[in-house]
Amino acid sequence: DTFACGHASNSISAALGMLVLQEPGGQADDTIGTLAAMAGKENVRIMICSGDKDLSQLVKNGIEIYDTMKETVLDREGVIEKFGVPPELIADYLAIAGDSSDNIPGMKGAGPKTAAAVLNAFGGIEKVAAAGAEETKALGFRGAGKFHESFIAQLETIRLSKVLSTIKTDVPLGFTLKSLTPGEPDWQKVFAIADELDLRDLRTEALGHLGESAAKPEAAPEPERVFERTVVRTADELASHLKALGNEG
């Protein structure tokens, strides 16, 4: 389940020397956004590894997204190519187009192409609302004639969607960037976790650092067996010993 996957991920990250940051009651996106802002102020280059659409709003000089689903890196131009709008309009884009994976409702009847068309023409959602119906109709996209009326009717939902899709960059975290120095990987622990979870690629990587013999725990030595020898001389002694053995069994 989700908890088990998260626990395994945290264990692997810790074994690899990576820092695992958890803010009780906080949103992971807001923690990432705040860290990115902190790093930007100190001219530290940031690579955010995620396939979440909303994180694209954080992209700017020195901050890029590694899309883990498509294995591509998104800089500013990459965001524009993928979504049709620049990073600073991603929250507005999701406010109109919605994002079911993040429970952002968006505007009914409007998709990504419509969102990109009106935002590139007018700017954010408030500027779209301020534009006239004729101005919107002149854009010529499919449904442009009825778009403005529908947009105004759903404006409160669209505004709420923007709030939901906007990532905070100023949440209190209680630590500094200098305290986030990663440690050295514990490859023996990495191997043990990978072996237990059958993560073959990670197991192979750990073996590459440890060597085959080092990754295999030494077998415990066999305990020394002690035998007691008794000499039986008579039939009565034999019967007595057999009876004793039977009682022990």
Side-chain angles (χ1 to χ4, degrees), residues 1 9 24 47 56 73 97 203 215 235:
D1 57 21
S9 177
M47 179 71 73
S56 298
V73 175
R203 183 180 185 278

Side-chain angles (χ1 to χ4, degrees), residues 129-152:
E134 291 302 315
E135 290 179 86
T136 306
K137 183 178 180 179
L139 296 178
F141 58 84
R142 185 177 179 180
K146 297 181 179 180
F147 176 85
H148 189 265
E149 180 182 355
S150 181
F151 186 89
I152 296 300

Side-chain angles (χ1 to χ4, degrees), residues 56-124:
S56 298
Q57 66 192 267
L58 300 174
V59 170
K60 58 183 178 181
N61 187 33
I63 301 177
E64 297 175 333
I65 301 281
Y66 177 70
D67 189 328
T68 53
M69 302 299 291
K70 297 184 178 179
E71 297 187 347
T72 56
V73 175
L74 297 179
D75 55 9
R76 180 180 176 83
E77 294 305 314
V79 171
I80 293 173
E81 182 179 350
K82 181 175 181 178
F83 298 103
V85 298
E88 59 268 22
L89 287 176
I90 286 294
D92 297 87
Y93 169 90
L94 294 174
I96 298 175
D99 184 2
S100 58
S101 65
D102 265 348
N103 296 315
I104 299 172
M107 175 183 170
K108 292 181 181 179
K113 291 183 179 180
T114 298
V118 295
L119 292 173
N120 283 320
F122 305 121

Side-chain angles (χ1 to χ4, degrees), residues 194-218:
D195 198 42
E196 179 184 356
L197 299 177
D198 196 26
L199 301 174
R200 298 178 184 179
D201 289 345
L202 185 59
R203 183 180 185 278
T204 299
E205 183 177 356
L207 283 175
H209 289 273
L210 294 170
E212 289 282 351
S213 59
K216 297 178 181 178
E218 294 183 6

